[in-house]
């Protein structure tokens, strides 16, 4: 179809940034050209800032196919916006180009983080920030508190805060709070070996079509205790169906990542 979505930033981008920096720069430049359309999408869905579409092409408008009778189904996979922010973070960390950060990246970063700040919800019991009724990376229907999306938002907000400080930009105070307080609950009943991250809620231990919690470790490299990281991989490594891993690109990572003897 000629569409691009999270695969481009999350899976293709890291090796391209390391080995083909001109192609990586072209990918970020494409997203930067689409900021105005992303702002229109945020506004049309009741939010502020820049909300990037799940599937994008020449115009930058949402071009996801309908899922049955629900034209909004794929648009609820909102982790595409932090995925784009994190690709910018990677390119900046490889280049340390402050001119690019200010002139090219900042309009996108600030718009994306405005959207994310308007989209998250504060969990009343913990005081941490989460998202509700979204499509997680597992694409198993709408869920609350998806681990990958929540962690990706926190890391994106963190990079926006760091960039604002570097560029002497004024930002809302709640950006730092969102960065510092992601809602990533642990579940002590799923795994006999100890607590693991909850992939989303509700989740009862059934099979998963694609990776979720494993992605906290790669590509996000989200900081966590080493023993917790091992438990996450050990437990969720039993939850993927081989035939589905052959059909879904993100799940191909599952079996490689869940080989704890290789990773640790």
């Amino acid at each position: 179809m000629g569409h691009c979505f999270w695969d481009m930033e999350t899976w293709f981008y890291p090796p391209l940034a390391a080995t083909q920096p001109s192609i990586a720069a072209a990918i970020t430049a494409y997203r930067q050209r689409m900021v105005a359309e992303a702002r229109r999408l945020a506004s049309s869905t009741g939010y502020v800032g820049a909300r990037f579409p799940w599937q994008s092409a020449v115009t930058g408008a949402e071009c996801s196919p309908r899922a049955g009778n629900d034209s909004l189904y794929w648009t609820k996979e909102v982790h595409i916006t932090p995925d784009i922010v994190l690709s910018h973070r990677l390119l900046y960390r490889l280049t340390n180009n402050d001119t690019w950060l200010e002139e090219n990246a900042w309009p996108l970063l600030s718009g994306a983080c405005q959207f994310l700040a308007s989209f998250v919800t504060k969990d009343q019991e913990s005081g941490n920030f989460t998202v509700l009724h979204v499509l997680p990376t597992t694409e198993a229907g709408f869920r609350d508190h998806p681990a990958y999306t929540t962690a990706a938002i926190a890391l994106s907000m963190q990079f926006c805060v760091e960039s604002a400080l570097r560029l002497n930009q004024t930002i809302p105070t709640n950006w730092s709070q969102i960065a510092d307080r992601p809602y990533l609950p642990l579940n002590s009943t799923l795994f006999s070996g100890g607590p693991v991250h909850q992939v989303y809620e509700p989740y009862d231990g059934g099979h998963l079509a694609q990776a979720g919690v494993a992605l906290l470790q790669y590509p996000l490299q989200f900081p966590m205790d080493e023993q917790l990281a091992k438990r996450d991989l050990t437990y969720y490594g039993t939850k993927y169906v081989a035939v589905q891993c052959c059909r879904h690109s993100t799940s191909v990572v599952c079996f490689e990542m869940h080989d704890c003897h290789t990773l640790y």
Side-chain angles (χ1 to χ4, degrees):
M1 292 185 295
H3 297 178
C4 55
F5 46 121
W6 82 305
D7 297 63
M8 183 167 75
E9 274 78 18
T10 304
W11 304 117
F12 305 157
Y13 197 86
L16 288 173
T19 63
Q20 300 289 334
S22 62
I23 297 176
I27 291 172
T28 55
Y30 162 72
R31 294 297 193 182
Q32 292 157 12
R33 291 196 300 272
M34 302 305 164
V35 168
E37 185 60 41
R39 286 190 173 277
R40 281 190 284 272
L41 179 59
S43 178
S44 68
T45 53
Y47 299 96
V48 299
R51 177 181 191 173
F52 285 87
W54 177 238
Q55 294 192 34
S56 177
V58 175
T59 66
E62 177 64 73
C63 53
S64 300
R66 295 174 66 92
N69 294 321
D70 187 356
S71 62
L72 296 177
Y73 186 78
W74 295 111
T75 67
K76 298 290 282 187
E77 199 153 1
V78 296
H79 65 80
I80 180 63
T81 296
D83 293 333
I84 291 169
V85 171
L86 294 177
S87 70
H88 281 67
R89 183 185 70 167
L90 176 58
L91 187 60
Y92 177 71
R93 288 181 172 176
L94 288 172
T95 62
N96 288 315
N97 188 334
D98 288 337
T99 300
W100 173 86
L101 182 67
E102 181 171 20
E103 297 180 359
N104 301 90
W106 181 248
L108 181 148
L109 297 176
S110 59
C113 286
Q114 285 172 354
F115 163 67
L116 295 174
S118 71
F119 191 85
V120 297
T121 299
K122 179 181 280 191
D123 177 67
Q124 293 303 310
E125 182 175 346
S126 67
N128 295 340
F129 293 89
T130 186
V131 290
L132 304 175
H133 196 64
V134 298
L135 196 63
T137 56
T138 54
E139 297 182 348
F142 299 147
R143 298 288 189 270
D144 296 336
H145 318 306
Y148 174 85
T149 304
T150 303
I153 289 173
L155 293 176
S156 295
M157 300 301 292
Q158 181 184 74
F159 181 54
C160 286
V161 171
E162 294 171 358
S163 299
L165 291 173
R166 181 173 293 274
L167 301 175
N168 293 316
Q169 297 284 342
T170 301
I171 57 172
T173 57
N174 69 331
W175 287 19
S176 294
Q177 297 169 0
I178 297 168
D180 293 341
R181 298 184 63 91
Y183 182 67
L184 293 169
L186 301 182
N187 189 311
S188 298
T189 64
L190 288 173
F191 181 44
S192 61
V196 294
H197 280 106
Q198 181 91 9
V199 63
Y200 49 64
E201 294 181 8
Y203 175 68
D204 61 2
H207 287 301
L208 299 168
Q210 300 195 79
V213 166
L215 304 185
L216 298 183
Q217 297 181 51
Y218 184 84
L220 292 186
Q221 297 182 307
F222 193 86
M224 68 179 75
D225 175 77
E226 182 176 313
Q227 293 305 311
L228 173 58
K230 288 181 179 180
R231 290 196 301 271
D232 279 351
L233 294 183
T234 300
Y235 173 73
Y236 284 103
T238 67
K239 300 303 175 182
Y240 303 101
V241 182
V243 66
Q244 291 176 313
C245 280
C246 293
R247 298 202 328 258
H248 294 284
S249 60
T250 51
S251 289
V252 173
V253 179
C254 299
F255 291 118
E256 296 296 331
M257 283 209 54
H258 291 292
D259 181 356
C260 292
H261 297 293
T262 299
L263 285 176
Y264 295 99

